[in-house]
Structure formats: C-alpha cells, structure tokens
C-alpha cells in the first residue's frame, strides 16, 4: 500500500523561507554551504603581488605585499558574490575566518615590520549606496577580523576608516588602467592619516584598487605595509608560503 508523504511542519517551511535555498559554491539545495565548497577557503595562504600588474611601482621601489586566503575560482567565485550582493549574511563567519587565517600568516612578516608601532587596518571603501544596499560594511567586517587576529599575534592593530569614496563610474567592465584612474579620482582621505597602514579587501584582480588606495595613503604621509584579501584571481597566485612562514 502506497504511503502518503507527510506535509512538512510549519517550522521546516519557515526555515526554507528564511535560510538560503542552496550552496552558493555548487548549488546543492537546502545546504547553506556544503563542506566541499567550504574547503575551498581553507587552502594555503599565498603571496600574490607578483602577478598583480597595477601594483608595480615605476620608480623601482618594492611592490606592495599582498596575502590571499584563496584563489578566486571554482566555488569561491560563487561564495564571495553571494556574500556581497546576494544577501547571504550567514556566510560572514566563513569569510571572516578566512581573513583571520590570512592575517595569522601575514603577521609573521607584519610584526617585525611594525616593530612595536601601531598598525591601522583600512577597509577598502565601497561606492556610496553599496553599504546601504548590502545592509552592512562587509569589507569592514573583514578588516575587524584581520585586526583582531593580528592583536592575538602581538601586533597593535586597530581598524580605522580613513578612506572614503565619492560617487563615480562602476569598476565592473573596466580595464586595469581605467580601473585605477577611476578609483583614484573617487577616493578621498578623511582627516590627515599618518603612520603604518594595512589594506583589506575581498578580492584582488589586477591590483588597481589596492594601488590607488596605497597611493592615497602615501600621499597623505602614511606607509602601507601590505594588503590582505580573501581571494585573488588565479592568474596572480603563486606557490604557497613555506612551512617556516617566510615569503616565497
């Protein structure tokens, strides 16, 4: 005798309305983030500045060091946009954990560079209106996770919001040079920042955004020690750090 399926309880139906319908990395239904896709954010932390062409300094000075927790490929290409623009606030702990792990590795170089001085952690600013649309300062959350982890590693780190952004053209679809010029015109300094800085962003592609932020802070008298990102486009990743923690 065939059995009739029991209707889902009101609590299950409510959960389906409230919770994400599928994993943003692979589309598995009724799973906020599957274990396999979560592992894509758990790989080795890498230095990625060598492949970011817009970070190169024409005067031959050292390129800004950039640490990345993951490659912006595979599941990560679904996870990060879902968190940023898909109202997936439930992914915040996963992304901030990836940033904290990145900060832990970077601290091996940042602590001696800071030499006991305070490090100001600066979230890369978003366009006006983006924070309201997203409901939170998501890059600011990454910066907070970074600063908290650095403090546990002996670095006197705190988040400061010293970069703002005027209205301007969207970066999507722009080439590397145009991205840099567009952002340079839109960035503005708040106050007179000085001292040591560390930039934080979600993804690095060509490095144009980080380069514009570095230029703005340096122009105001600051020294940018490096940048941390959740993910970097695959073409600018390189070999993982050695077990001793030294940069490759």
């Amino acid at each position: 005798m065939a059995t009739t399926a029991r209707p889902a309880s009101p609590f299950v139906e409510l959960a389906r309305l409230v919770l994400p319908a599928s994993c943003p990395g692979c589309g598995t239904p009724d799973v906020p983030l599957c274990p396999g896709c979560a592992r894509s954010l758990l790989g080795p932390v890498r230095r990625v500045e060598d492949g970011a062409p817009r970070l190169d300094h024409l005067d031959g000075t050292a390129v800004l060091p950039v640490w990345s927790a993951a490659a912006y490929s595979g599941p990560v290409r679904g996870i990060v946009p879902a968190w940023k623009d898909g109202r997936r606030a439930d992914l915040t702990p996963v992304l901030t954990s990836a940033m904290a792990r990145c900060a832990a590795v970077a601290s091996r170089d940042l602590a001696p560079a800071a030499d006991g001085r305070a490090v100001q952690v600066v979230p890369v600013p978003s366009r006006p209106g983006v924070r309201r649309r997203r409901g939170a300062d998501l890059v600011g959350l990454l910066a907070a996770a970074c600063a908290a982890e650095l403090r546990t590693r002996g670095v006197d780190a705190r988040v400061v919001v010293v970069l703002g952004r005027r209205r301007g053209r969207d970066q999507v679809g722009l080439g590397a040079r145009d991205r840099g010029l567009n952002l340079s015109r839109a960035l503005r300094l708040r106050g007179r920042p000085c001292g040591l800085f560390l930039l934080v962003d979600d993804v690095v592609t060509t490095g144009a955004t980080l380069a514009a932020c570095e230029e703005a802070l340096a122009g105001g008298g600051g020294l940018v020690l490096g940048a941390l990102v959740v993910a970097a486009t695959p073409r600018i990743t390189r070999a993982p750090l050695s077990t001793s923690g030294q940069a490759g």
Side-chain angles (χ1 to χ4, degrees):
M1 178 178 178
T3 59
T4 303
R6 295 176 61 186
S9 73
F11 298 103
V12 172
E13 294 295 341
L14 178 61
R16 288 175 176 170
L17 291 174
V18 175
L19 295 176
S22 63
C23 171
C26 65
T28 299
D30 298 320
V31 178
L33 181 64
C34 77
C37 290
R39 284 195 294 271
S40 66
L41 291 165
L42 298 176
V45 172
R46 301 173 185 264
R47 286 278 296 272
V48 298
E49 69 273 8
D50 282 355
R54 300 307 298 172
L55 289 174
D56 287 342
H57 296 154
L58 297 179
D59 60 4
T61 55
V63 176
L64 184 75
V66 181
W67 290 264
S68 174
Y72 192 61
S73 62
V76 179
R77 289 184 63 90
I79 295 170
V80 174
W83 177 62
K84 289 171 58 178
D85 300 311
R87 297 185 180 276
R88 288 293 306 270
D90 60 294
L91 297 172
T92 295
V94 179
L95 276 299
T96 53
S97 177
M99 177 55 65
R101 190 169 56 83
C102 193
V105 173
S107 68
R108 301 167 188 167
D109 292 317
L110 294 173
D115 193 24
R117 293 171 291 175
V119 175
Q120 300 167 84
V121 181
V122 181
V124 170
S126 302
R127 289 181 295 111
V130 169
R131 177 175 176 175
R132 291 192 298 274
R133 186 177 75 246
R134 293 174 176 168
D137 179 7
L138 299 182
V139 179
L141 296 177
L142 295 178
C146 171
E149 182 63 30
L150 288 176
R151 287 193 297 271
T152 69
R153 305 281 171 167
V155 180
D156 180 13
R158 61 188 176 89
V159 177
V160 296
V161 182
V162 294
L163 286 177
R165 190 165 172 180
R166 305 180 184 89
R167 293 185 180 278
R169 184 180 177 186
D170 197 327
Q171 297 279 80
V172 177
L174 298 182
R177 184 176 298 276
D178 288 338
R179 284 171 65 90
L181 290 173
N182 183 52
L183 187 58
S184 294
R185 296 177 183 132
L187 285 176
R188 59 185 177 86
L189 286 174
R190 294 174 174 172
R192 298 176 61 87
C194 61
L196 304 180
F197 295 95
L198 179 67
L199 295 168
V200 170
D201 205 358
D202 53 354
V203 176
V204 61
T205 51
T206 65
T209 298
L210 294 177
C213 292
E214 181 190 16
E215 182 180 6
L217 290 170
L223 174 62
V224 183
L225 297 178
L228 272 64
V229 298
V230 170
T233 53
R235 65 184 180 82
I236 63 171
T237 57
R238 69 180 188 187
L241 299 178
S242 67
T243 54
S244 63
Q246 298 299 313

